Amino acid sequence: PPRPPRPPVSPTPPSLSTRDLARWAARHLAPHKGLLAVVLTVEALAAATAGIVDPLLMAGIVESLTDGATGLFVRLIVAAVVVSTVLRGLTYVSSVVHRKLTNALTADLVGNAFESFSERAPAKVAAHEPGYHLSRIFDEPRRVAETVRVATSIVRSALLAVGALGLCLYLAWEVALGLAVVVPVLVALSRRYGGRVAAETVRGDEEEATLRSHVGRSVRGHVATQTFGLGAVVKRYVGGALDRLLATRYRRTREASRLRSASALFLSYAENLVLVGAGIQVLRGALTVGGLFGFTKAFWHVVGATRKLVDLLPEVATAKGQVERYLAYTAEAAGEARPPLHETETPVTLLRDVSFGHGADALFEGLDLAVRPGERVLISGPNGSGKSTLARLLVGALAPTAGHAIVPPLASISSVLLPFGF
């Protein structure tokens, strides 16, 4: 049999520029500026200690050995142990404060998503299974909040790279200038592959929400599935959703791996050229042995921080796609809030040439019905004829697939439509 039609897909999320993404993050992090300030301060201290202090200590230790200054050598060794201890302590503090900040941001984003869900029109809610909305309300905001660690990692890596590069320029500026060509190439690679990663992230999150919807429906309908031998149909629905999700994740991983591989390959070429240049400077006498050790350590910090930034580029693109999708969901309910009863005219329900169906199967077509204030209307018919569906249309909990429906605000209707789930 043919594959069942896919459920409705959410509107395409608006595309965000990097600047828009930064502004959005700043606005949502503003209520937690205290925690954010602690995180950024810790990251800055760690970057300065690792990128500047540590290489200078290495250069001093080697020079003291060369000069035979035993006392200075011992003091510098003690200082190096202190610096190592401080770095470990900063890492611990950063981890703890990061979790506090992520938890606070998660609570905010989930709360906003749930508020948006509560305000949207019932017909839009009914277009998807509860599992879909669970993914949009909790899973996706939680993933967005977790990307705060990506942002702070970028800050730390950037500060480390800049600090260590400054030290390299101080020790051997002619050699360090060779690194200037690295940044434009990495930016070009990011532009080429980053958009693809973001697009596949949006598709993957939609497919994951759809899969959750199918699995939830399958669990609730387990008895009906066994009673009527519908296992093959259920498996086809769930299997199709799973296949689409896995294919999307494969494409996202492929694009991210291309970005990382191309960047790492180019970076390795740049590393070798710079190290050769440093060796030539030592042979020429323009760089001392201690300076070479300090330069090398600072240079490897530059390389490590740059590699970290390269590895973070796909995660930035992923975060961008997740934020776009989150904004699309929270924006869907804008303008959908219905006015209270006292602000509306006398409730009149009118269905004109209305049709409704699931996929290609129509429950009814061309239905005309008017219900005036004070009227009592009985809906009768055999099982499966569409009585419950018609009731949901009358109260605005479903939207017709064709025709025109005028219904009063949901807040003005006293109705209980039990979700029998069968």
Side-chain angles (χ1 to χ4, degrees):
R3 184 180 295 277
R6 295 179 62 180
V9 178
S10 297
T12 302
S15 179
L16 292 177
S17 65
T18 303
R19 181 177 298 179
D20 292 335
L21 182 62
R23 289 174 178 172
W24 180 89
R27 185 170 65 254
H28 283 77
L29 288 170
H32 315 292
K33 55 186 178 183
L35 289 172
L36 180 62
V38 173
V39 169
L40 294 180
T41 301
V42 170
E43 299 294 355
L45 289 173
T49 304
I52 300 176
V53 178
D54 191 38
L56 285 176
L57 282 173
M58 174 62 69
I61 289 172
V62 174
E63 290 293 342
S64 65
L65 281 175
T66 304
D67 298 338
T70 306
L72 178 59
F73 172 77
V74 172
R75 289 194 295 272
L76 290 176
I77 287 294
V78 172
V81 173
V82 172
V83 167
S84 177
T85 304
V86 169
L87 281 174
R88 299 301 178 271
L90 290 174
T91 300
Y92 168 77
V93 173
S94 175
S95 177
V96 172
V97 181
H98 258 112
R99 176 44 55 189
K100 287 186 177 180
L101 180 59
T102 302
N103 287 351
L105 189 59
T106 299
D108 290 347
L109 296 180
V110 171
N112 291 341
F114 189 80
E115 182 178 353
S116 173
F117 166 79
S118 302
E119 293 176 353
R120 67 185 53 220
K124 285 192 174 181
V125 174
H128 297 280
E129 287 291 306
Y132 176 89
H133 294 288
L134 172 63
S135 180
R136 303 301 302 270
I137 293 169
F138 177 71
D139 293 334
E140 293 176 12
R142 175 179 54 80
R143 285 196 289 265
V144 171
E146 292 289 344
T147 59
V148 70
R149 187 172 292 276
V150 176
T152 54
S153 295
I154 290 174
V155 171
R156 181 171 186 168
S157 299
L159 291 175
L160 178 58
V162 170
L165 180 59
L167 184 58
C168 287
L169 289 170
Y170 171 74
L171 295 173
W173 65 269
E174 300 94 337
V175 179
L177 282 179
L179 294 172
V181 73
V182 172
V183 175
V185 175
L186 295 181
V187 170
L189 291 172
S190 175
R191 288 180 176 177
R192 178 173 181 178
Y193 294 104
R196 302 177 189 176
V197 175
E200 294 300 337
T201 298
V202 172
R203 295 191 190 99
D205 287 345
E206 176 68 22
E207 298 297 353
E208 182 175 345
T210 301
L211 177 61
R212 277 179 169 269
S213 174
H214 286 327
V215 172
R217 179 184 298 177
S218 302
V219 172
R220 287 192 303 276
H222 179 65
V223 174
T225 299
Q226 286 196 339
T227 302
F228 297 102
L230 299 175
V233 177
V234 172
K235 183 178 180 180
R236 193 164 67 249
Y237 267 99
V238 175
L242 179 60
D243 289 343
R244 291 190 295 270
L245 171 61
L246 296 179
T248 303
R249 288 183 173 176
Y250 167 77
R251 290 192 298 268
R252 181 174 62 186
T253 301
R254 181 187 61 193
E255 297 301 328
S257 297
R258 286 177 176 175
L259 173 57
R260 289 193 181 99
S261 299
S263 302
L265 181 61
F266 173 77
L267 195 57
S268 66
Y269 295 154
E271 292 171 22
N272 294 327
L273 289 175
V274 171
L275 290 178
V276 169
I280 293 175
Q281 290 294 87
V282 172
L283 294 176
R284 291 176 53 201
L287 189 64
T288 65
V289 176
L292 175 63
F293 273 87
F295 177 89
T296 303
K297 190 154 193 178
F299 172 72
W300 286 117
H301 280 309
V302 174
V303 171
T306 305
R307 280 180 171 172
K308 180 67 174 177
L309 289 171
V310 169
D311 289 340
L312 288 172
L313 289 177
E315 296 188 37
V316 172
T318 298
K320 179 175 177 290
Q322 290 171 339
V323 171
E324 290 174 351
R325 185 166 165 79
Y326 171 81
L327 290 177
Y329 187 76
T330 54
E332 282 180 19
E336 293 182 1
R338 302 192 178 214
L341 179 60
H342 63 81
E343 296 181 4
T344 64
E345 299 177 356
T346 304
V348 175
T349 297
L350 177 65
L351 304 182
R352 182 177 300 162
D353 196 24
V354 163
S355 300
F356 188 86
H358 300 285
D361 300 325
L363 283 173
F364 42 77
E365 297 177 327
L367 175 65
D368 293 319
L369 175 64
V371 181
R372 297 174 179 81
E375 273 194 301
R376 299 182 180 182
V377 178
L378 173 67
I379 304 173
S380 63
N383 290 339
S385 60
K387 300 186 301 297
S388 299
T389 300
L390 176 56
R392 286 176 168 79
L393 287 168
L394 292 175
V395 301
L398 286 179
T401 53
H404 187 61
I406 301 176
V407 298
L410 192 60
S412 69
I413 301 177
S414 176
S415 62
V416 178
L417 304 174
L418 297 179
F420 292 104
F422 176 69

